[in-house]
Amino acid sequence: MPIGRRSNTRKKVILAGVQGLIIGVVGVLLFGLILNLANDKKVKSQEVKVTTPTDEKDKVEATSEVEGKSLPFQAKQYGMFTSKDSAMSFIGSQPSLAKASVFQVGNEFFVWSDLYVTTIPTQEAEVLPTFVKSLYVSTNTCDDPKVKKVIDLIQQENLTKNFFESIAKKEDYPADLMEIVQAISAFSDSPSILRMHVFSHYASTNNCIKLNF
């Protein structure tokens, strides 16, 4: 074979190899790019979107000292978070916390599932770590006597829907009390859960309610 023809063949082989290498590198880069885009879309689709209000009225004031009369409660707590969104996302990711609620105290957000007065049932083994947190509530600065009365009322041990319905003078309590009780009773008849959600509603709408740990 002539030398010139042999040289041309060698150049074609080298050129083909270079082209193959370039195509392979480009293919790997494109595959990696497509994979990253797919992963980004998957992560975004799994994000929990929470559109909860962050109005000032949603805050429960925490005080180092609770003046005058203070009512003791015990909350079953599952965690403390630095934002309401993260607390709500945590509840949303745990099916066992479907009946839990978020309480804001200062700049901290607590996930509670039950609110007790004196009798605390024996704690059963749970998947999520939890403990009972003692707290004290004062309504001394509340001007509305109906707010004070409803917080006093939930100090009763055996709260039930029938208990609220049997109240003689319902006009002495907030006008929406029975509506709130009806809504809660639709998904739970537990006194501790009923108490927690009634307290959560009025604490979030009345910043005169002061809470101390």
Side-chain angles (χ1 to χ4, degrees):
M1 178 183 294
I3 295 177
R5 187 175 297 177
R6 184 182 303 170
S7 177
N8 290 335
T9 302
R10 185 175 299 172
K11 288 180 180 179
K12 289 181 181 179
V13 172
I14 294 174
L15 182 60
V18 172
Q19 289 176 339
L21 179 62
I22 293 174
I23 293 172
V25 171
V26 172
V28 171
L29 291 176
L30 286 175
F31 178 76
L33 179 61
I34 293 171
L35 184 61
N36 286 334
L37 289 174
N39 287 336
D40 287 343
K41 289 181 180 179
K42 183 178 180 180
V43 170
K44 289 180 180 179
S45 66
Q46 292 177 342
E47 289 179 354
V48 178
K49 295 182 179 179
V50 182
T51 55
T52 54
T54 55
D55 201 300
E56 288 296 319
K57 71 179 182 179
D58 290 336
K59 295 181 180 179
V60 178
E61 184 177 351
T63 60
S64 57
E65 295 182 0
V66 177
E67 299 177 357
K69 181 182 178 181
S70 60
L71 304 175
F73 292 94
Q74 290 81 40
K76 191 174 183 181
Q77 180 170 308
Y78 285 86
M80 186 275 289
F81 301 83
T82 56
S83 73
K84 191 169 186 176
D85 282 358
S86 58
M88 292 294 293
S89 294
F90 175 71
I91 290 177
S93 68
Q94 304 295 333
S96 62
L97 297 183
K99 299 174 183 177
S101 185
V102 176
F103 290 79
Q104 180 177 357
V105 182
N107 294 320
E108 298 175 331
F109 299 82
F110 299 87
V111 173
W112 295 343
S113 67
D114 297 85
L115 193 64
Y116 306 105
V117 181
T118 56
T119 303
I120 302 175
T122 303
Q123 299 296 304
E124 300 178 355
E126 295 191 36
V127 176
L128 299 174
T130 181
F131 66 95
V132 175
K133 187 179 189 69
S134 296
L135 55 121
Y136 299 88
V137 176
S138 171
T139 57
N140 292 320
T141 61
C142 293
D143 295 328
D144 188 350
K146 294 182 179 182
V147 173
K148 295 183 178 183
K149 288 184 71 69
V150 75
I151 300 301
D152 287 340
L153 184 66
I154 62 174
Q155 275 277 302
Q156 297 295 320
E157 188 67 50
N158 296 314
L159 291 185
T160 62
K161 178 182 175 182
N162 290 336
F163 171 84
F164 285 99
E165 289 177 341
S166 67
I167 296 174
K169 294 183 177 181
K170 292 183 176 62
E171 63 273 15
D172 290 345
Y173 298 90
D176 62 349
L177 176 59
M178 291 311 302
E179 181 181 347
I180 299 301
V181 171
Q182 290 279 359
I184 301 168
S185 300
F187 63 83
S188 177
D189 58 359
S190 168
S192 60
I193 292 177
L194 185 59
R195 181 182 298 108
M196 180 195 64
H197 283 286
V198 170
F199 176 70
S200 175
H201 172 73
Y202 291 106
S204 66
T205 54
N206 296 275
N207 56 15
C208 64
I209 296 176
K210 298 180 180 180
L211 190 152
N212 180 50
F213 295 138

